[in-house]
Amino acid sequence: MGFVGFAGVGGNGSWGTSVCRRTRSVAFAVAPRQIGDDYWIGGDVSKEAISELSPKSLMLLKTSAEEGVTAEEVQKFCQEKGIDMKWVPVAPKMADRELADEIVNLLSAQEKPVLIECSGSVRAGAALSIHMAREKGMSFEEIRDMAVEKSLAWPDIPPLTKWVSESV
């Protein structure tokens, strides 16, 4: 997993950084990683990296409480590049099966390849894991093992582990 961009506290609207307004914690941009044939996950992916990947679709999971690039900025960029963009805010402690259903339905309908993005790629990995488990008929244990094998971080985050276990 590589880091790209520069993180600065309080930098509204700067690609490559994210700062939580509530905790003031800084998330560095995480270079996109391919998971399977049709998906990439990443965190605060730079415009340059998105242009290089040329995804057909992008799903943004950041909430409006996170600083850095806003959903509106990502939408504008995606429109300019002809990328279908969906914004589905995911707050780990609030994530439920209904939200998972929405994400799975949108991912199934989006043109491939898809870049799934949040501030640090953890929620993106969890959301993709739910989608993959349902698509392939995998159990929670199987998808958790796959996530560990691919060095996804969500199995180490209790609210995301709970979300995935209740949503597959």
Side-chain angles (χ1 to χ4, degrees), residues 4 13 19 50 59 61 78 83 86 97 99 101-102 111 124 128 143 150 157-158:
V4 295
V19 181
I50 294 171
M59 180 175 285
L61 304 179
C78 287
I83 300 169
K86 303 291 185 219
R97 188 170 180 91
L99 180 62
D101 292 345
E102 179 182 359
E111 189 175 358
L128 180 57
I143 201 67
K150 295 190 177 293
I157 312 294

Side-chain angles (χ1 to χ4, degrees), residues 52-144:
E52 198 173 301
L53 289 174
S54 298
K56 299 285 185 190
S57 305
L58 185 145
M59 180 175 285
L60 182 66
L61 304 179
K62 287 177 64 171
T63 68
S64 57
E66 296 172 72
E67 291 186 14
V69 179
T70 66
E72 293 78 19
E73 289 171 304
V74 175
Q75 180 70 48
K76 182 177 185 245
F77 176 77
C78 287
Q79 284 176 340
E80 291 169 2
K81 296 291 184 180
I83 300 169
D84 175 45
M85 187 265 206
K86 303 291 185 219
W87 181 39
V88 184
V90 175
K93 291 182 180 177
M94 306 298 278
D96 59 14
R97 188 170 180 91
E98 186 177 325
L99 180 62
D101 292 345
E102 179 182 359
I103 289 170
V104 167
N105 290 336
L106 288 170
L107 283 174
S108 295
Q110 282 188 296
E111 189 175 358
K112 310 301 184 273
V114 179
L115 170 61
I116 307 167
E117 180 180 359
C118 58
S119 61
S121 82
V122 180
R123 288 169 287 173
L128 180 57
S129 294
I130 293 167
H131 174 69
M132 290 174 71
R134 289 188 187 182
E135 187 176 66
K136 297 177 181 191
M138 298 170 77
S139 69
F140 170 72
E141 291 75 18
E142 291 170 321
I143 201 67
R144 183 190 58 218

